[in-house]
Amino acid sequence: MKNQKSTVDEIRERFDNDVERFSNLETGQSATMDAPLALEIIQQCAAANHPHASAMLDIGCGAGNFTLKILQALPGLNCTLIDLSKPMLDRAAERVTRATSGRVECLQSDIRDYRPKPESFDLVVAAAVLHHLRSEDEWRNVLQTIHAALRPGGTFWVWDMIIHETPAVQQVMWERFGRYLSALKGDEYRDHVFAYIDKEDSAASLNLQMRLAEKAGFRRIEILHKTAVFAAWMAAK
Ligand SMILES: C[S@@+](CC[C@H](N)C(=O)[O-])C[C@H]1O[C@@H](n2cnc3c(N)ncnc32)[C@H](O)[C@@H]1O
C-alpha cells in the first residue's frame, strides 16, 4: 500500500547500514537540530539529579552516544543497551565497554517486547527512538514498562522529534527544520531526510508524550529543551 510506514524489519535493516552516522559523540546525529546541546543538557541534568546512580538503561541506544556522554559525568555505571539493530549494538558495546568499569549488558530487542526486571535502573534514556512507535497504545505500554523498570526516584530522559498539535505551528516549525537541513548539506539532502522521515517516523506531540507519562505514573515532568521539531524532556518516578 502506498504511504505505508516502514515495518520493524525495514527499520532494523536501515539502521544496520547506518552505524557510522551515529558514532560521533561530538556532533551527535547532525540531521537532528541541536543534537550536541541536547546531549549536554541531558548529561548535566541526569548527573545533577543522580550523583550516586549505579544503573542505566539506554533504549534504542544506536552506537551508544547518549550512554557515553552520561558516563563522562557518571563514570562506572552498569549499562544496559537495547536496540533492534545488531551492528548498532555491537558498536555500542565496543565503545561503552571501553568507557565504564561497570557491567555492560546488550540486548537485541524491539522496545515493545522488552520486559525488564522491576525497579532495576536509576536512569533510562531514549534518544531519537520513540518516534518509531505507531500508536498511543504503544506509547502507553512503553511508558508503563519504563516506569516499572525505574527504582523509586529514578528518572526517564527523552530527546526526540515531535509534532505540534496546531497545524500552522507545525508548518512553521517544519519549514525551520527544512532550512536547517538545506543550510547543513543542501536541498537534496533536505529532501532525502524528509523522505525517510515520511516513510519511517511517526512522531508524537510533546503534550501527548507528557500526558501519557503522567498517566503511566511519573510524578514530575520537566521540559529541558525545544527547538523547532525536536524536544528533550525528563520525568521522575
Ligand atoms: C535515530 S537512532 C538513535 C540512536 C541513539 N539513541 C542516538 O541518539 O545516537 C534510532 C535507533 O533506535 C533503534 N530502534 C528503532 N526502533 C526501535 C525499536 N522499536 N526498538 C528498539 N530499538 C529501535 C534503531 O535501530 C536505531 O539504532
Side-chain angles (χ1 to χ4, degrees):
M1 199 200 301
K2 210 164 162 257
N3 285 337
Q4 202 170 23
K5 292 282 179 186
S6 301
T7 62
V8 171
D9 285 340
E10 287 168 338
I11 292 173
R12 179 188 304 110
E13 196 183 326
R14 186 171 82 77
F15 284 107
D16 281 353
N17 294 305
D18 215 0
V19 175
E20 260 351 287
R21 196 157 68 87
F22 292 91
S23 298
N24 188 327
L25 192 54
E26 274 65 51
T27 61
Q29 186 206 156
S30 58
T32 304
M33 294 168 80
D34 281 357
L37 179 60
L39 266 168
E40 193 178 308
I41 288 173
I42 288 185
Q43 176 208 48
Q44 289 181 347
C45 293
N49 211 60
H50 291 285
H52 306 296
S54 64
M56 170 166 70
L57 167 66
D58 187 343
I59 291 172
C61 62
N65 272 353
F66 270 76
T67 290
L68 289 169
K69 191 74 182 177
I70 289 174
L71 281 170
Q72 289 176 349
L74 293 172
L77 289 176
N78 293 326
C79 301
T80 302
L81 309 168
I82 294 192
D83 205 283
L84 271 185
S85 158
K86 181 74 167 58
M88 282 286 192
L89 267 181
D90 289 346
R91 177 66 64 86
E94 177 195 314
R95 296 169 85 206
V96 171
T97 305
R98 270 190 268 122
T100 184
S101 53
R103 254 184 299 112
V104 180
E105 241 180 273
C106 297
L107 185 65
Q108 186 180 9
S109 169
D110 186 323
I111 46 170
R112 287 165 282 223
D113 303 327
Y114 177 53
R115 295 289 170 267
K117 267 210 321 246
E119 301 196 356
S120 39
F121 300 104
D122 303 295
L123 302 167
V124 178
V125 182
V129 59
L130 298 179
H131 62 254
H132 292 119
L133 298 178
R134 297 291 184 232
S135 68
E136 244 178 83
D137 266 355
E138 290 185 354
W139 265 95
R140 205 170 282 120
N141 292 339
V142 167
L143 285 167
Q144 280 168 0
T145 300
I146 292 165
H147 186 267
L150 282 166
R151 296 172 178 154
T155 47
F156 178 39
W157 304 82
V158 181
W159 165 238
D160 217 323
M161 173 174 283
I162 58 160
I163 55 165
H164 295 79
E165 290 170 0
T166 306
V169 174
Q170 174 64 13
Q171 192 181 330
V172 168
M173 295 300 173
W174 195 254
E175 284 166 9
R176 294 185 70 86
F177 179 36
R179 285 199 293 278
Y180 164 82
L181 292 170
S182 293
L184 187 68
K185 291 188 193 170
D187 290 352
E188 220 173 287
Y189 175 70
R190 175 202 59 200
D191 295 345
H192 164 72
V193 173
F194 279 3
Y196 75 66
I197 289 174
D198 188 44
K199 176 84 180 95
E200 198 168 278
D201 301 344
S202 42
S205 75
L206 188 51
N207 299 340
L208 177 69
Q209 294 178 40
M210 294 192 307
R211 273 202 304 274
L212 293 177
E214 209 167 41
K215 279 196 186 148
F218 287 98
R219 63 186 166 81
R220 211 172 350 96
I221 299 172
E222 304 279 4
I223 297 173
L224 305 170
H225 181 67
K226 156 137 184 356
T227 180
V229 291
F230 297 94
W233 58 276
M234 65 80 84
K237 181 166 177 175

